[in-house]
Structure formats: structure tokens, C-alpha cells
């Protein structure tokens, strides 16, 4: 069924995720270049494009970071072909520098920027509202609210981009990107555009040129507004004598529809579905203001549309009552749901939608009290677990257990979770080194260790590593290299020797790149050799200049997958119950999901253990042994 | 509600709201994909929403599946879940508290997966019987089976999900055919994985058939 997504049969109904639908939209539009850096919930857009790149003959790549991905797509669009760059909302911050110039050069070929946001931060460090960045960069943004629209809007976005000569945003959110639904396929356009770069002054944002390009952008205001006002994006639905009007966009709009249906008010409430958050459909907003005196704005994260509704009401001298985040009917953070919207509508209209059932309330309270938190954890056999174990041991032996660990974005961020607490700061891609360096120069009296992964080092860690070494920082940089971008779903990167489409390529050598910065102390260790790793980290902490330890071992999930494919036997450890004193070191210090309790002894599930051996290393009683066949 | 009445009620539903709750790594997403594809095959529209990404790493994972002719959005409103298929008791009650109503059906794997905070002694996992009896207070129709033990007997921990899927089909409350589902599973999985999964499905199926 997955391969159906690449079918050329127009009208075929397939099951697709929002991300797959966006990719399909780009394929139907005849995209020529696709680039991205992985980031949940956006990763599957490029992964899907990569899967079909040979079939349809376009270039798909994992770029080293989002800025490069954006630039690759922009460069392609400068030559007249169609291109797409995809990334998560915070990835857009990395690309922002380039974006804030390309919004003035404009593009020739259609360029789409698919940005996936993450309200409620399911897999992110913040829930920033990308709509403000569309407004900030003065670029059009389309926001689909269903799987079908995700494809159709993406396809349309290329046209809008060519008509306006501006890159166009597609905004998606976790609940759309990671939803699946039936999708009706459209026709695939064969791209017959020959790339041609027409030289000219517009492409150089040089002093003296750039300010006129800003003027050029505003000369297009009316054109941009006319295009995004097309009815297929925005949908105004007004029943006779509505008692309320609801404005919303994206998935939030579906919560509003659900709430209206729960309350049975389909024929009483007018709705405006906004598919173009920027520029917003001001004429439709005015029409709705003409029809009803009460308006509720339903949107996730910030009151972006609400501010435009208030502005439109003011400009048209309306005395409307406008409800939303500013009136506190809708919360200003986290995802919405149908219940929140149902409550907001009920409050505004003064209706009681659910009678309070005290008995049921008590049952649910009791039920709630039984629920415990399930912290995220490193996988069974995860090399990061062994590295953290060695690091903790080194900190205990060298600096009496005192140290600051500045963390980064990736699977090793799981070291933040109990019982590890081995990440003291987590901010954004590559921040561990700069933050750690700042603490060193501030004069903290304990060792500072910056932990960063392989993909993150390439994304934005190398520059700060060179900078720390150059500035004589007594910082330990621990590169936790599991040879893949694991957290986002095992995407390859330049140090893996594999491209996005699965071809082999040259392999960037992280070790040599570090060596080239003329680092004084560099050790390469295998975390499964935990003693060696512990010693290297102890020496690094004692070193008086910048030191780097690369703890390298392939991601256990991948290693286990490869083992299964090769049909090799699995190494397993077991607990010798005679020797086990139930000291719980393996449970509390190693904390591997394969280890549990059976009776008054530790127990290793033989169906789950993959034989990393960390628990055997940690057990001071020699009670954990390798199973010999 | 008796099974006969339940089946009658389910045959007239306009939208089937199903939640699959489990722990990262239990194969939640595969099951929702299989259900969704067999729904499409039977002419239904389908929309589902899933948590993944960081949740893969041993966290709580849940899928909302909505099958019907007219669908609005991917998320099931609170209290509107018709069937909760839970691969783990804590995840059953986590989702159950929010989404079940009196007439919901729960099919639960009674075998806990202890979170790492329980293993390290920071939190206490409640008695599974207490979880079960509480869920029975929330809704009337609860079936519990130890799918993990069945999986251990088969010798493959990864088939807990298909045992539970078999159990769901064993209830015969969805408008979907067992044969379609197995066909789709066959085309979705590698041959060597399919055989063990089919066996797991059948064991879950017959387990429930015997008990209802």
C-alpha cells in the first residue's frame, strides 16, 4: 500500500500521512530539488520524497542542516525549477538568515517551504508559532486542515510561488503531519523546465540594492493578497441568522467543527476556515463580522488570527464581541481539543452542555490517581547508556560527583530523564558546546562536559568546537557518536557514507575534522568497553585544555535490525540468582528496560536483552553473566 | 451490555472511534495501519492520529483511529472512545480515564511493562487488579488477557500487538473482515515475520472467541 503513494493512477485512493501527502503534492507539481534536515514531526516529508526520487527523476537530499537545505532549494528555484525545503518549526530558525534575504531576491521557479510545528512540544524544545515568521518574512503561508488539503495545498503552493515570485510556506502541525487518512491522488506533472539562471542585480543583496528589493516585495502586496484570497483555501459558511461565528485554521478548525457537532449547532454557527494565515483573508473576516456580532477565534498557540480579527473590526467600526485567547476563552499554549472548544462555545452562548455526574467524577478521580508517569528511556543496549554510565563513574572518581553537563538535541537528551539526570541544560541544536564554554569562562568550580551527537556535531557543533578550542576553554566535549540521526528515525548524515536515497557516498570523518582544529586531547572509545570509556573521560576531565572524547558505537536498534537480517545469534546475559544480593545497582544505576524484578532477585528478560554487557560491568558481585550456548 | 446487544449497537455506529494504547516499541503503529487499511478496503473513510518521535523511546504511545462515512478530524473527543485496545494496563487506564464512556469496550493486555522510574524505585506501579476493577467501574465491557505470556510462549516478544489485534477481531464488533486484514498483513510484512504474526493473531482471536 505504501508504494501506492507513487502511483501515477489519478483518482486512486490511498492511505497516507500528512507528511506523505505534502511529499506527494510536490511530486505531482513536478518538483526538481528537495532538501531537508530531519526533525520531528517533519522528517517523513523528505524521507518520502527520497523514496520516489529515482522513479520521478528529481534530486532529494538530507542537507547538513536546515540553513543549507533552504539554500539548496532556493538556489534551485533561482534557476526556474521547482523546489521544496522541509524542516521542523525550530529548524526554520536556523534557516532564517538565508530566508530573510531570499524574501527580497524572490525566486523564479516555485519554491515551497514545508514547516512542521509541534504544539504541546511532543518532540520539541518549544512550540513557537511559525505563522509569525511568515508575517515577519512577508511571505505567503498556506495551512491545510486535512490530509487531502496537505497534498492539494502543496501542489497549489508552487503555483502561488511562481505567480508571486516568492517562496511560499506550507504550515503543518504534529496532528496533521502524523495523522493518516485516505488521500485521492492527482495527476503527476512531468517537469520539462530547463534550468536557466538569468543573471541580474536582483540576486545580490548588496548595500544599495537590498532596500529596493524590500520595496519590490511591497509592490506585490496586492498581488499576494489577491492570490491567497482564492476560495479554495478559505471557506466561509454562513447559516441563516447565525448566533456565533467561528474563525479557525488547520487542525484547530477540525476541533471547532467537532465541537459544533457535539453541541448540535450546525445550523446556528457560521464558520470561516482560514487556509491562508498570511496574508489572512481580511475580506472574509469582514463578511463574517457583518453577519454576526459574536466571533470566536479557534487557533493553536498564539492569537495570530485573533489580532487580525480585532484589527478588521476596528477598521470597519464594528462593535463585535471577539472571543479567543485574549478573552481567555481559549488557552494561549498547548494543543487544543474538541472539549476546550465545546466549553468555550458553551460559555459564550451560556449553555450547559454536560451535566455534572458526581458519581462518575469520583470514579474518574480515582482512576486518575492510579496513573503514573512513564518517562522516556534509552533503548535496550543503547550505547549512550554505557557512555553515561562511564561518565558518571568518571565524575564520581575525579571530581567527587560534581560536574555540569550541558546537553544537546538527540537521543542522548534522554539522559535528562530519571534516574540519570545527566543533562543539565538542553536548548537547541549545537548549543551544548557554547553554553558549556560560557560556564567555563564564568569560572564555575566544577568540570563542565558538553555532550553532543554525531549528526548534531555536523549540523552546528563543529564551529563551536573550533571556537572553544581557539578560546582556550577547559571544556570536555563528549561526542556521543551512534553513527545515525537516531531520534528522528535513522536518517543518514554526511558521516554515514549513505545518501538520502540510499546510495553510497564519501564519508565525512568526524575524528579528522576534530583533529584539524588542532585539539590537544582526543580519544576515541567504544562505550561497550565501559572501563576504557571511563578512563578516557577521567583523563579528559583532568586535562587542562579543551578535550574531546568520541564515544562511538552504532545505534543498538540498527545493530539489532542488522543482526536479525543477517540471522546471527543474539548475545544474552543472565542473573546468577545464587550470587545476586538484590542490591539493585543494575535496576537503579544501569536502568535498562530488559532488567526487571522476579522474586527478590534481578531478572534479565532473555527475549529482550541484546547483550551490551553494561549490567555485567556494573554488577559488583559478579552475578550477571554472559549466557554461553 | 450483553455481547449480542453490543454487536447490535456496533453494527449501527456512524463512526467507530478506536484508541490503541501502548508503550513505545510495542508495535502500536503497525496495528493502527492494518486496521486503517482494511477499513479503506471495505469502502470506509478513515483518519488516524499517532504519537511518535520521542515517544518511541519507551514512552506512552497512542493512536486514535476513526472509521466512518463522514469524518471531521483525526482526534477523538474526550469520552467518545468506542473501543480501547490497550497493550499494557497502565496505558489502558491512562487513556481510559480521559476517553472512555459507560458503553465503551476495553480489550486489555494484563501484563505490565514497568516504567524505568518504577524499576529504579522512584514510583510505584499499582496492582493490576486495581487497575482492572477501576476500568470496570468506568465502563461496562472489559476483557483482559495476558498477551505477553502468549508472546513468550511463541518465543517472540514483538507479537503482543498482533495477539491483541486478533483479540479485537475475535470480538466481531468491527465491520471488517478477518481475511482482508490477514491479506493486508501478508502484503505488509516480510514472509518470515508474517508467519509468526499470523500465529499470534489466531491465538488472540481464539482466546477471545472462547471467552465471550
Amino acid at each position: 500500500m505504501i508504494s501506492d503513494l507513487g502511483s501515477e493512477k489519478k483518482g486512486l485512493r490511498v492511505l497516507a500521512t500528512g507528511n506523505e501527502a505534502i511529499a506527494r503534492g510536490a511530486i505531482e507539481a513536478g518538483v526538481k530539488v528537495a532538501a531537508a534536515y530531519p526533525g520531528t514531526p517533519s522528517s517523513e516529508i523528505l524521507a518520502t520524497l527520497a523514496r520516489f526520487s529515482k522513479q520521478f527523476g528529481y534530486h532529494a537530499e538530507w542537507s547538513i542542516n536546515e540553513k543549507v537545505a533552504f539554500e539548496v532549494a532556493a538556489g534551485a528555484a533561482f534557476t526556474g525549477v521547482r523546489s521544496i525545503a522541509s524542516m521542523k518549526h525550530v529548524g526554520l530558525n536556523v534557516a532564517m538568515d538565508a530566508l530573510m534575504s531570499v524574501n527580497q531576491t524572490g525566486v523564479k521557479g516555485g519554491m515551497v517551504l514545508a514547516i512542521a510545528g509541534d504544539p504541546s512540544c511532543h518532540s520539541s524544545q518549544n512550540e513557537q508559532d511559525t505563522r509569525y515568521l511568515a508575517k515577519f518574512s512577508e511571505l505567503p503561508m498556506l495551512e491545510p486542515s486535512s490530509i487531502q488539503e496537505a497534498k492539494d495545498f502543496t501542489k497549489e503552493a508552487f503555483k502561488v510561488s511562481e505567480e508571486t515570485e516568492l517562496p511560499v510556506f506550507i504550515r503543518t502541525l504534529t496532528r496533521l503531519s502524523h495523522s493518516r487518512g485516505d488521500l485521492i491522488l492527482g495527476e503527476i506533472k512531468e517537469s520539462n523546465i530547463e534550468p536557466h539562471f538569468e543573471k541580474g542585480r536582483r540576486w545580490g543583496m548588496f548595500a544599495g540594492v537590498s532596500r529596493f528589493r524590500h520595496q519590490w516585495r511591497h509592490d506585490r502586496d496586492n498581488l499576494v493578497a489577491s492570490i491567497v484570497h482564492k476560495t479554495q483555501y478559505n471557506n466561509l459558511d454562513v447559516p441563516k441568522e447565525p448566533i456565533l461565528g467561528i474563525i479557525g485554521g488547520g487542525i484547530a478548525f477540525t476541533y471547532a467543527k467537532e465541537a459544533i457537532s457535539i453541541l448540535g449547532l450546525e445550523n446556528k454557527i457560521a464558520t470561516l476556515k482560514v487556509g491562508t494565515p498570511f496574508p489572512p483573508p481580511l475580506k472574509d473576516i469582514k463578511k463574517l463580522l457583518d453577519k454576526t456580532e459574536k466571533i470566536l477565534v479557534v487557533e493553536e498557540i498564539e492569537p495570530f488570527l485573533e489580532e487580525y480579527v480585532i484589527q478588521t473590526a476596528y477598521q470597519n467600526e464594528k462593535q463585535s464581541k471577539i472571543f479567543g485567547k485574549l478573552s481567555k476563552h481559549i488557552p494561549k499554549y498547548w494543543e487544543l481539543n474538541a472539549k476546550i472548544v465545546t466549553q468555550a462555545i458553551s460559555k459564550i452562548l451560556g449553555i450547559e452542555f454536560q451535566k455534572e455526574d458526581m458519581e462518575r467524577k469520583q470514579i474518574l478521580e480515582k482512576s486518575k490517581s492510579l496513573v503514573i508517569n512513564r518517562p522516556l528511556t534509552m533503548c535496550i543496549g543503547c550505547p549512550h547508556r554505557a557512555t553515561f554510565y562511564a561518565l558518571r563513574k568518571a565524575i564520581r572518581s575525579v571530581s567527587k560527583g560534581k560536574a555540569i553537563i550541558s546537553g544537546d538535541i538527540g537521543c542522548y537528551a534522554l539522559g535528562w530523564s530519571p534516574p540519570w539526570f545527566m543533562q543539565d541544560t538542553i536548548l537547541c541544536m549545537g548549543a551544548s558546546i557554547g553554553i558549556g564554554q560560557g560556564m567555563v569562562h564564568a569560572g564555575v568550580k566544577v568540570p563542565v562536559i558538553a555532550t553532543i551527537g554525531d549528526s548534531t556535531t555536523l549540523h552546528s557543533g563543529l564551529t563551536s568546537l573550533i571556537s572553544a578550542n581557539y578560546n582556550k576553554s577547559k571544556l570536555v566535549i563528549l561526542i556521543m557518536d551512534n553513527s545515525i540521526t537516531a531520534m528522528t528515525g535513522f536518517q543518514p548524515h554526511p558521516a554515514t557514507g549513505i545518501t538520502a536515497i540510499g546510495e553510497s557516498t564519501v564519508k565525512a570523518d568526524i575524528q579528522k575534522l576534530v583533529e584539524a582544529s588542532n585539539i590537544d586531547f582526543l580519544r576515541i572509545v567504544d562505550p561497550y568497553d565501559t572501563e576504557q570509556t571511563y578512563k578516557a573521560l577521567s583523563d579528559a576531565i583532568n586535562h587542562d585544555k579543551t578535550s574531546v572524547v568520541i564515544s562511538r558505537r552504532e545505534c543498538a536498534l540498527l545493530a539489532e535490525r542488522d543482526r536479525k537480517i543477517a540471522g546471527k545469534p543474539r548475545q544474552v546475559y543472565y542473573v546468577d540468582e545464587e550470587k545476586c544480593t538484590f542490591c539493585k545497582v543494575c535496576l537503579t544505576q544501569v536502568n535498562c528496560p530488559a532488567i526487571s524484578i522476579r522474586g527478590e532477585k534481578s531478572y534479565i528478560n532473555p527475549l529482550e536483552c541484546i547483550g551490551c554487557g553494561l549490567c555485567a560491568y556494573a554488577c559488583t558481585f559478579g552475578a550477571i553473566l554472559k549466557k554461553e550456548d | 451490555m450483553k455481547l449480542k446487544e453490543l454487536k447490535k449497537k456496533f453494527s449501527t455506529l456512524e463512526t467507530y472511534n478506536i484508541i490503541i494504547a501502548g508503550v513505545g516499541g510495542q508495535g502500536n503503529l503497525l496495528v493502527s495501519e492494518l486496521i486503517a487499511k482494511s477499513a479503506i478496503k471495505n469502502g470506509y473513510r478513515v483518519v488516524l492520529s499517532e504519537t511518535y518521535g520521542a515517544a518511541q523511546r519507551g514512552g506512552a504511545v497512542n493512536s486514535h483511529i476513526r472509521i466512518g462515512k463522514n469524518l471531521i478530524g483525526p482526534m477523538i473527543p474526550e469520552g467518545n472512545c468506542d473501543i480501547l485496545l490497550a497493550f499494557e494496563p497502565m496505558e489502558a487506564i491512562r487513556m481510559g480515564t480521559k476517553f472512555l464512556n459507560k458503553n465503551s469496550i476495553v480489550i486489555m493486555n494484563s501484563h505490565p511493562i514497568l516504567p524505568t522510574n518504577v524499576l529504579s524505585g522512584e514510583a510505584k506501579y499499582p496492582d493490576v487488579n486495581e487497575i482492572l476493577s477501576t476500568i470496570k467501574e468506568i465502563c461496562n465491557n472489559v476483557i483482559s488477557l495476558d498477551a505477553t505470556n502468549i508472546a513468550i510462549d511463541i518465543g517472540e516478544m514483538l507479537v503482543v500487538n498482533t495477539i491483541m489485534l486478533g483479540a479485537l477481531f475475535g470480538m466481531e464488533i468491527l465491520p471488517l473482515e478477518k481475511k482482508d486484514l490477514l491479506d493486508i498483513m501478508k502484503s505488509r510484512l516480510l514472509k518470515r515475520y508474517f508467519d509468526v504474526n499470523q500465529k499470534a493473531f489466531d491465538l488472540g482471536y481464539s482466546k477471545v472467541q472462547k471467552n465471550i
Side-chain angles (χ1 to χ4, degrees):
Chain A
M1 187 77 88
I2 287 273
S3 62
D4 284 348
L5 198 63
S7 171
E8 294 181 44
K9 216 159 103 190
K10 190 183 163 189
L12 189 72
R13 207 162 66 105
V14 303
L15 182 67
T17 65
N19 282 344
E20 287 171 333
I22 290 170
R24 171 75 194 194
I27 294 170
E28 288 183 10
V31 72
K32 203 65 201 293
V33 173
Y37 182 80
T40 312
S42 73
S43 313
E44 300 79 17
I45 299 172
L46 194 277
T48 307
L49 283 162
R51 207 163 67 221
F52 297 111
S53 83
K54 279 182 189 159
Q55 186 181 338
F56 296 108
Y58 54 81
H59 173 80
E61 70 165 53
W62 289 120
S63 308
I64 200 162
N65 62 34
E66 293 87 352
K67 182 171 181 284
V68 174
F70 175 85
E71 288 158 352
V72 168
F78 284 3
T79 74
V81 304
R82 290 185 164 182
S83 69
I84 184 168
S86 52
M87 57 200 69
K88 68 185 294 179
H89 58 314
V90 287
L92 180 59
N93 300 339
V94 178
M96 211 59 205
D97 200 6
L99 176 70
M100 293 307 290
S101 287
V102 175
N103 64 347
Q104 298 188 143
T105 62
V107 290
K108 277 291 180 192
M111 177 176 175
V112 171
L113 256 176
I115 309 295
D118 190 20
S120 284
C121 302
H122 296 285
S123 317
S124 307
Q125 64 267 40
N126 73 29
E127 50 175 8
Q128 71 186 41
D129 193 330
T130 315
R131 295 177 298 176
Y132 285 98
L133 296 183
K135 185 181 181 184
F136 181 47
S137 60
E138 303 170 332
L139 294 174
M141 173 177 267
L142 308 182
E143 182 172 19
S145 65
S146 68
I147 304 284
Q148 190 66 44
E149 283 186 354
K151 178 186 84 63
D152 296 344
F153 280 23
T154 303
K155 198 173 179 177
E156 278 297 314
F158 285 95
K159 273 193 220 157
V160 176
S161 173
E162 277 158 12
E163 283 170 40
T164 59
E165 290 188 53
L166 295 168
V168 172
F169 282 103
I170 287 285
R171 184 194 192 214
T172 171
L173 300 173
T174 304
R175 297 302 184 187
L176 181 61
S177 281
H178 287 178
S179 287
R180 285 195 242 202
D182 41 350
L183 171 72
I184 299 166
L185 302 183
E187 199 176 345
I188 292 175
K189 187 191 152 186
E190 286 285 327
S191 171
N192 48 15
I193 300 165
E194 276 300 312
H196 170 66
F197 178 62
E198 197 182 313
K199 295 188 185 189
R201 298 280 89 185
R202 71 180 282 188
W203 305 113
M205 286 308 98
F206 192 67
V209 174
S210 44
R211 65 196 191 104
F212 292 108
R213 294 305 295 181
H214 191 206
Q215 184 186 17
W216 169 87
R217 164 62 192 88
H218 283 290
D219 287 344
R220 320 181 84 65
D221 281 349
N222 288 340
L223 174 68
V224 171
S226 73
I227 286 166
V228 299
H229 263 99
K230 283 185 183 170
T231 48
Q232 68 259 41
Y233 308 122
N234 302 303
N235 194 0
L236 181 64
D237 188 1
V238 186
K240 248 188 193 168
E241 294 168 22
I243 53 173
L244 176 70
I246 294 185
I247 298 178
I251 285 292
F253 186 76
T254 67
Y255 302 138
K257 290 291 270 187
E258 200 87 53
I260 293 168
S261 156
I262 289 169
L263 294 167
L265 294 173
E266 286 92 340
N267 299 321
K268 298 273 180 204
I269 295 181
T271 55
L272 171 59
K273 178 163 78 78
V274 178
T276 61
F278 189 79
L282 299 177
K283 284 179 194 162
D284 288 333
I285 292 172
K286 183 184 173 292
K287 273 186 213 161
L288 192 62
L289 285 164
D290 288 339
K291 297 283 183 191
T292 167
E293 286 167 1
K294 288 179 188 164
I295 303 258
L296 169 65
V297 188
V298 179
E299 56 191 328
E300 284 180 315
I301 322 183
E302 304 294 338
F304 182 83
L305 292 172
E306 193 174 339
E307 286 164 4
Y308 280 107
V309 176
I310 292 168
Q311 174 193 319
T312 310
Y314 175 79
Q315 284 169 338
N316 292 283
E317 295 176 6
K318 296 281 181 195
Q319 297 299 313
S320 321
K321 284 194 171 133
I322 296 158
F323 304 96
K325 291 174 191 286
L326 299 175
S327 70
K328 298 196 166 91
H329 285 76
I330 301 283
K332 277 186 187 169
Y333 44 83
W334 302 355
E335 289 183 311
L336 302 181
N337 56 46
K339 187 179 171 186
I340 292 172
V341 185
T342 311
Q343 283 168 342
I345 297 173
S346 307
K347 199 174 162 191
I348 292 164
L349 298 178
I351 47 178
E352 194 184 10
F353 87 95
Q354 223 169 29
K355 272 208 184 128
E356 195 120 344
D357 178 343
M358 282 316 285
E359 197 192 338
R360 186 139 188 97
K361 210 177 161 185
Q362 274 177 1
I363 295 169
L364 293 180
E365 284 297 321
K366 179 185 160 199
S367 168
K368 210 173 170 182
S369 73
L370 291 176
V371 175
I372 57 169
N373 188 20
R374 189 180 290 279
L376 300 181
T377 175
M378 288 171 274
C379 305
I380 294 164
C382 177
H384 296 334
R385 176 181 287 107
T387 305
F388 278 132
Y389 189 90
L391 177 60
R392 185 168 54 199
K393 192 172 168 182
I395 293 169
R396 278 177 186 164
S397 74
V398 177
S399 67
K400 296 178 185 158
K402 291 201 166 65
I404 299 169
I405 305 172
S406 54
D408 223 301
I409 309 287
C411 278
Y412 41 91
L414 295 166
W416 171 271
S417 298
W420 293 95
F421 303 110
M422 297 283 284
Q423 301 269 281
D424 294 313
T425 63
I426 297 177
L427 302 169
C428 60
M429 291 292 286
S432 57
I433 298 174
I435 294 289
Q437 202 199 328
M439 289 180 173
V440 167
H441 298 307
V444 293
K445 297 280 181 281
V446 295
V448 182
I449 297 117
T451 59
I452 185 165
D454 42 325
S455 193
T456 310
T457 294
L458 294 171
H459 176 285
S460 47
L462 281 172
T463 42
S464 18
L465 183 146
I466 294 165
S467 191
N469 192 33
Y470 163 67
N471 287 301
K472 304 181 181 180
S473 304
K474 191 191 155 349
L475 175 71
V476 180
I477 299 171
L478 170 56
I479 301 179
M480 300 172 77
D481 178 354
N482 62 357
S483 308
I484 200 77
T485 320
M487 187 58 122
T488 47
F490 316 116
Q491 295 81 10
H493 58 64
T496 62
I498 308 280
T499 68
I501 62 170
E503 287 178 344
S504 63
T505 181
V506 289
K507 209 169 172 172
D509 189 328
I510 293 178
Q511 181 182 337
K512 281 188 189 157
L513 286 164
V514 173
E515 280 167 2
S517 72
N518 281 328
I519 206 93
D520 194 52
F521 180 110
L522 171 64
R523 293 267 183 91
I524 319 295
V525 294
D526 173 1
Y528 279 11
D529 185 344
T530 314
E531 183 67 15
Q532 176 207 27
T533 309
Y534 152 67
K535 281 181 179 156
L537 285 165
S538 301
D539 292 346
I541 293 171
N542 279 326
H543 195 69
D544 63 354
K545 295 187 184 109
T546 312
S547 57
V548 176
V549 175
I550 302 179
S551 182
R552 182 186 292 152
R553 162 71 68 165
E554 186 190 22
C555 166
L557 291 181
L558 285 191
E560 184 57 9
R561 190 191 65 186
D562 291 347
R563 184 197 62 77
K564 274 188 181 169
I565 292 170
K568 285 188 192 154
R570 188 157 42 104
Q571 188 78 76
V572 173
Y573 282 75
Y574 71 99
V575 176
D576 181 340
E577 295 199 349
E578 299 266 293
K579 288 186 187 161
C580 176
T581 63
F582 202 43
C583 69
K584 296 188 181 173
V585 160
C586 56
L587 292 163
T588 60
Q589 306 285 304
V590 177
N591 203 242
C592 168
I595 307 176
S596 57
I597 302 164
R598 202 164 68 173
E600 288 283 280
K601 302 284 174 186
S602 292
Y603 170 71
I604 299 172
N605 187 336
L607 292 175
E608 291 186 322
C609 174
I610 66 161
C612 74
L614 178 63
C615 53
Y617 174 76
C619 180
T620 45
F621 298 95
I624 298 180
L625 302 162
K626 196 187 277 184
K627 199 172 249 175
E628 307 292 346
D629 293 314
Chain B
M1 218 186 276
K2 289 266 160 50
L3 184 69
K4 212 172 164 186
E5 293 169 48
L6 260 183
K7 280 190 181 171
K8 199 176 160 198
K9 181 195 150 218
F10 269 77
S11 66
T12 59
L13 280 184
E14 260 186 35
T15 305
Y16 296 83
N17 288 324
I18 307 164
I19 292 180
I20 303 182
V23 178
Q26 282 193 304
N28 196 316
L29 306 188
L30 175 69
V31 167
S32 52
E33 183 187 327
L34 294 175
I35 295 173
K37 283 178 175 173
S38 45
I40 286 193
K41 196 168 179 181
N42 282 278
Y44 286 93
R45 289 204 57 210
V46 63
V47 58
L48 54 134
S49 180
E50 297 156 334
T51 47
Y52 46 99
Q56 234 178 29
R57 309 292 180 256
V61 176
N62 57 76
S63 306
H64 290 211
I65 309 177
R66 314 187 79 184
I67 299 170
K69 301 286 180 195
N70 295 306
L71 300 172
I72 300 174
M75 305 304 292
I76 296 171
E78 284 185 26
N80 278 17
C81 171
D82 301 309
I83 304 168
L84 171 63
L85 186 66
F87 297 168
E88 203 277 342
M90 178 55 64
E91 299 318 312
I93 196 156
R94 189 190 313 281
M95 283 295 111
T97 306
K98 241 183 172 177
F99 290 98
L100 295 175
N101 57 55
K102 275 182 185 155
N103 294 321
S104 309
I105 295 176
V106 178
I107 308 168
M108 179 184 103
N109 176 16
S110 59
H111 202 105
I113 295 177
L114 301 184
T116 50
N117 51 353
V118 171
L119 292 173
S120 65
E122 284 164 71
K124 199 180 168 300
Y125 196 101
D127 185 351
V128 173
N129 287 323
E130 196 184 352
I131 293 180
L132 190 60
S133 65
T134 308
I135 294 175
K136 282 181 175 165
E137 284 182 66
I138 302 176
C139 71
N140 299 328
N141 319 294
V142 183
I143 285 187
S144 160
L145 66 153
D146 191 332
T148 306
N149 259 339
I150 300 175
I152 290 170
D153 286 343
I154 298 175
E156 178 53 86
M157 286 295 280
L158 293 176
V159 297
V160 166
N161 59 346
T162 29
I163 295 167
M164 293 303 291
L165 182 61
L168 170 64
F169 272 70
M171 293 284 288
E172 294 175 344
I173 42 176
L174 286 179
L176 308 174
E177 295 296 323
K178 177 182 162 186
K179 189 188 166 299
D180 288 343
L181 186 100
L182 287 172
D183 285 348
I184 289 164
M185 196 198 284
K186 196 171 185 174
S187 66
R188 174 68 173 75
L189 297 178
L190 292 174
K191 169 91 176 88
R192 64 173 181 277
Y193 295 131
F194 173 69
D195 293 342
V196 65
N197 275 288
Q198 184 179 26
K199 187 177 172 190
F201 182 93
D202 288 341
L203 284 170
Y205 188 92
S206 55
K207 178 96 186 165
V208 165
Q209 288 265 308
K210 262 181 243 160
N211 290 346
I212 55 173

